[in-house]
Amino acid sequence: MSDTLQKFMFDNSLVRGELVDISEAWRQVQLLRAYPPAVGAMLGEMMTAAALLSANLKFNGTIIMQIHGDGPVKLMVVECDASLVLRATAKLADDAQVTDGATLQELVNLHGQGRFAITLDPADKLPGQQPYQGIVALDGDTVSTVIENYMMRSEQLDTKLWLAADLQVARGLLLQKLPDEGGKAVGTGEADADAWNRAVMLASTVSNEELLSTDIMTLMQRLYWEETIRVFEPRRPVFRCSCSREKVGNMLKMLGQDEIDDSLAELGKLDINCDFCGRHYAFDKVDCMQLFSTPTLAQAVQPPGTQQH
């Protein structure tokens, strides 16, 4: 079956849920690079979480989740846009030694300097608009608890996550308690509080092994067969890389002509591989000369007879 994200809502409450299976997309990420099992599990869980959070984006853009580590893992990046197009990568230290079963803190927060960041990057930015980014310390022993703590601090939104990934399967469950229309947190009334507590209690019975071995529709029925829930049209997450020669060229231009010229003098040409998909881009001296001879937007709109300073 294709990867699937299933949203649902508990009737007579403001509790929403999502179940997702991104196993095919996750396996495609791993075709490019073989990660140690502990690193793979954490990156797969981050991908799963990104898909779950992106399904609730209120704008046409991309959610970028990053963990900056100070242990064997130096960086993990997952991107997912509003269409549930995913990509992910991880960078390990040159001397990284990763044991099976290594914890998140051992992998990325060995000296207490690890950081977690979520960036919301609109696809159609207004003039001067910058992406929104929130950065917090790695507060938690698992990917799910780090994100739960982030969502409460940054969004004031009760969020619970159950994530599981190995080298073949990546699945997850999200529950959120939404504020009511008056801005009060759900749970001030007895019925609402019971709905949230009951939903979380039932979900907390799911083991890591059960998430990995059970398809999401069976899992939803198994957990909430006594509840009245509304199920929405399923969505299809996919792996696809958004890199392009134009984007790589723009990155090179940002480095500046002097640095590019120095690199060309040393190497003869520039070879760049996309960290997400492995696609290769080569820029020789002629290619780089054309990059910097392309008019900037300011030059392109300069009125006739004026001189640029």
Side-chain angles (χ1 to χ4, degrees), residues 133-180:
Q133 185 176 69
I135 303 174
V136 297
L138 281 171
D139 182 13
D141 294 326
T142 63
V143 171
S144 58
T145 55
V146 167
I147 296 173
E148 288 168 2
N149 291 332
Y150 174 90
M151 293 298 293
M152 177 54 68
R153 290 177 182 176
S154 299
E155 307 298 331
Q156 289 76 54
L157 193 61
D158 272 316
T159 302
K160 295 294 291 182
L161 285 160
W162 292 263
L163 308 171
D166 58 20
L167 299 184
Q168 294 296 320
V169 177
R171 295 192 182 111
L173 166 63
L174 173 146
L175 293 174
Q176 284 186 329
K177 182 170 67 172
L178 305 178
D180 65 21

Side-chain angles (χ1 to χ4, degrees), residues 27-38:
R27 288 192 291 269
Q28 290 188 50
V29 167
Q30 295 177 90
L31 290 176
L32 307 171
R33 192 170 304 169
Y35 295 110

